[in-house]
Amino acid sequence: MARPPGDRLRFLTCGSVDDGKSTLMGRLLIDAGAVPEDVAAAATGADGAVDFAALVDGLLAEKEQGITIDVAHRYFSTPRRDFHAIDAPGHEQYTRNMVTGASQADVAVVLVDALRGLTSQTRRHALIAAITRVPTVLFAITKMDAVGWDRARFDALAAEVAAFAAALGLPSVEVVPVSGLTGENVTRAAAVDWVRGATLLERLEAAPVNEADQGPFRMPVQSVRRDGLERTYVGRLASGRLQVGDAVRIEPSGRQATVVRLSGADGELDEVHAGLTAAIGLDRPVDLARGDVLTAASDPLEVADQFEVEIVWMGEEPLLPGRVYDLKMGTRTTSMQVTEVRRRVSVDDLSGLAAKTLALNEIGVCNLALGAEVAFTPYAENRILGGFIVIDRQTLATVGAGMIRFALRRAHNVHRQALTLDAGTRAAAKGQKPTVLWFTGLSGAGKSTVADAVERRLHVLGRHTYLIDGDNLRHGLTRDLGFTDADRVENIRRAAETARLMADAGLIVLVSLISPFASERRMARDLMPPGQFIEVFVDVPLAVAEARDVKGLYRKARAGELANFTGIDSPYEPPAAPDVHLRADQETPDQATDRIVEILRTLGRLSAD
């Protein structure tokens, strides 16, 4: 009898390194008859241990929700069920693999070594399974043969697991004693009479799959197909069912339409359900693009741009509040900034710890702001429309995974006020175009000297200007900030927002800041309309800047009296393609000023025409 579509169970094995995942998974496959006898024999050592790596189908590298699951996996079947087994590495440096695997799993099997008990990595994996809302979590106490199937040892570990699981908020917990080496209570009954109940395999065969079909219709749009005047909208259903004739709503625009055609891989359809990819035809032209979400018209999604979220940080460099990253949720990508790290979660006791940043493998609760409103559900309701990944804008690497808890109330209460006058009108009254000249370079490169000279020249020409100098800024607007990477990011964010407001007033704004990070300079550029931001790289070799040392800062940094000094113990990322590249050790401030003013004139920034 054919199995119902979508009944394949995805289960993930996880836990600390050397807890026996490889042997357990290998024994499961071999005893279930999922591999030929000669392959099973080759993968089994003289001591009975099994090398799961010799049995896998390969590394899973499918893109779902924009996440690559780079983990060992295997498809197999028993008479009762089809399975997709995923093995998450136990090493701490591969926590990202656990996160991405858990975000797709129906069941997480968390292994606990009977000899070592709950390690920090075991607790971390259990915490990740909880916050990624894996529907079913099983704890397998492994290597019971190594402790002689000691019931007292199992009971003690089961009690510890139950207490930790309760603190995680897991609704129900099953703890199973097993031996991957012998297969006892994995696929066959244990040899001791105190172990009763279903084996691990029987529990997996009975576990429910994700019941997304039960929710309202939701589908992130992946692409728009055009055939003449006809358009169809393609995507994978995140939840619910859809039929021809159903009314749908487009988020975030709120427009509505009616479904007139449905098709899938096998042609025209009357109905589609969660997990399937469909092409949808509507009864009217609508403004609909990749990243929008189709929903049931009677049950629309909430739309917001500020959230409280849980984040698992997976980047080698720490998360920095104020830094602009890209967020990908469903098929939508937009910019994001963490506005506050509210707390870091201890994996050992789940307590909240004060933190300003998150380091590699740390888990925290944060507030974040997006560059645009998105349609969403809390992650607890739908993992596709409530989960996201964080992408570094410079390296394009995935550096974090997050789960939306709820929209912040202020996201609904704060709206932009429409104003009668705009930047162009204000600048026209001054006979110029609003412009931001952003001077970046090492301390001592000559940024302030050149910026001051340019402003004096523009003043003589009758232009309206303002100079934001980094040192002066630290006496007022940013005097509460230090010189850590996180504080530098916030310092630049405040300067950039101030420059944006001044440019909106119609001014030519000169900003003189070291601004060492390319990401923050890009953030400043992205705040301004196209053509309004001009990056000026005041470039000198470090030796030249250090020889000048007008303020004695390099001397203090070399003596260890000044920490986090750019160029010495804090990096400077030079612009790859600045709009203006000044060789400040080869040209005078007057020559540099002549070049910049001429560039402004050529670009038409010094007139209102």
Side-chain angles (χ1 to χ4, degrees), residues 414-422 426 504:
V414 179
H415 306 278
R416 289 193 181 275
Q417 178 64 43
L419 302 176
T420 303
L421 299 181
D422 60 13
R426 300 185 190 102
D504 194 56

Side-chain angles (χ1 to χ4, degrees), residues 23 46 67 111 131-132 330 427-428 456 487 503 586 599 607:
T23 292
I67 298 175
L111 275 65
I131 66 176
T132 55
R456 284 188 282 110
D487 283 346
Q586 300 174 19
I599 288 171
S607 70

Side-chain angles (χ1 to χ4, degrees), residues 304-333:
D305 61 1
Q306 297 182 52
F307 304 94
E308 181 173 289
V309 302
E310 292 169 303
I311 289 182
V312 182
W313 194 248
M314 304 184 297
E316 295 290 339
E317 298 297 323
L319 178 151
L320 298 179
R323 170 163 286 181
V324 179
Y325 301 91
D326 281 334
L327 173 144
K328 181 174 173 59
M329 184 170 72
T331 56
R332 181 72 180 271
T333 300

Side-chain angles (χ1 to χ4, degrees), residues 215-219 237 239-242 247-248 272 280 294-297 299:
F217 165 67
R218 288 23 181 149
M219 190 192 83
L237 274 67
S239 67
R241 294 175 176 271
L242 185 68
V248 295
V272 290
I280 300 173
L294 284 173
T295 74
D299 197 343

Side-chain angles (χ1 to χ4, degrees), residues 258-498:
T258 300
V259 177
V260 295
R261 289 185 312 282
L262 285 174
S263 60
D266 297 327
E268 295 293 318
L269 301 169
D270 294 324
E271 180 184 83
V272 290
H273 60 80
L276 295 182
T277 297
I280 300 173
L282 301 177
D283 67 337
R284 68 194 69 177
V286 292
D287 184 11
L288 179 55
R290 176 180 171 84
D292 291 339
V293 180
L294 284 173
T295 74
S298 60
D299 197 343
L301 283 172
E302 190 175 359
V303 174
D305 61 1
Q306 297 182 52
F307 304 94
E308 181 173 289
V309 302
E310 292 169 303
I311 289 182
V312 182
W313 194 248
M314 304 184 297
E316 295 290 339
E317 298 297 323
L319 178 151
L320 298 179
R323 170 163 286 181
V324 179
Y325 301 91
D326 281 334
L327 173 144
K328 181 174 173 59
M329 184 170 72
T331 56
R332 181 72 180 271
T333 300
T334 185
S335 61
M336 62 153 274
Q337 289 177 294
V338 171
T339 56
E340 180 185 5
V341 178
R342 298 180 62 84
R343 60 185 176 275
R344 178 171 63 83
V345 180
S346 166
V347 298
D348 292 316
D349 60 11
L350 304 180
S351 61
L353 306 174
K356 289 187 176 182
T357 67
L358 294 178
L360 176 66
N361 294 332
E362 289 185 338
I363 300 167
V365 176
C366 306
N367 290 351
L368 60 81
L370 306 187
E373 289 189 324
V374 297
F376 76 98
T377 65
Y379 186 86
E381 297 177 14
N382 188 288
R383 291 197 280 179
I384 294 176
L385 291 170
F388 60 88
I389 61 172
V390 183
I391 301 169
D392 185 283
R393 302 182 98 193
Q394 300 301 312
T395 65
L396 302 183
T398 299
V399 291
M403 289 65 65
I404 292 176
R405 304 182 75 183
F406 51 81
L408 297 176
R409 184 173 300 167
R410 62 174 176 266
H412 305 288
N413 297 337
V414 179
H415 306 278
R416 289 193 181 275
Q417 178 64 43
L419 302 176
T420 303
L421 299 181
D422 60 13
T425 303
R426 300 185 190 102
K430 300 175 176 64
Q432 61 190 35
K433 291 186 175 68
T435 306
V436 175
L437 285 164
W438 192 280
F439 294 82
T440 177
L442 293 169
S443 177
K447 300 181 300 300
S448 296
T449 300
V450 175
D452 183 64
V454 171
E455 186 183 34
R456 284 188 282 110
R457 181 75 62 84
L458 293 175
H459 179 71
V460 170
L461 294 173
R463 302 304 95 197
H464 299 259
T465 64
Y466 192 84
L467 172 56
I468 300 174
D469 184 80
D471 285 346
N472 294 341
L473 204 65
R474 291 217 177 244
H475 286 285
L477 185 61
T478 64
R479 66 181 177 182
D480 59 314
L481 300 177
F483 291 90
T484 64
D485 285 353
D487 283 346
R488 287 177 184 273
V489 169
E490 175 60 13
N491 182 61
I492 296 163
R493 188 194 69 80
R494 294 184 195 180
E497 290 286 359
T498 303

Side-chain angles (χ1 to χ4, degrees), residues 13-16 19-21 24 109-113 122 138-140 142:
T13 55
C14 56
S16 188
D19 276 358
K21 291 191 302 300
L24 178 71
V109 181
V110 183
L111 275 65
V112 180
D113 189 321
T122 308
L138 302 174
F139 287 86
T142 63

Side-chain angles (χ1 to χ4, degrees), residues 93-174:
Q93 64 265 38
Y94 297 122
T95 298
R96 69 166 56 232
N97 306 66
M98 165 60 190
V99 176
T100 54
S103 69
Q104 310 297 321
D106 299 302
V107 177
V109 181
V110 183
L111 275 65
V112 180
D113 189 321
L115 297 169
R116 297 189 299 163
L118 273 74
T119 66
S120 289
Q121 186 68 345
T122 308
R123 294 173 185 271
R124 179 179 285 107
H125 279 199
L127 172 57
I128 291 170
I131 66 176
T132 55
R133 304 300 195 276
V134 179
T136 302
V137 179
L138 302 174
F139 287 86
I141 309 299
T142 63
K143 303 182 183 179
M144 285 300 298
D145 56 303
V147 295
W149 287 88
D150 183 343
R151 183 171 186 175
R153 177 59 175 164
F154 172 76
D155 288 343
L157 286 174
E160 187 178 359
V161 164
F164 189 68
L168 289 172
L170 293 173
S172 62
V173 175
E174 296 183 56

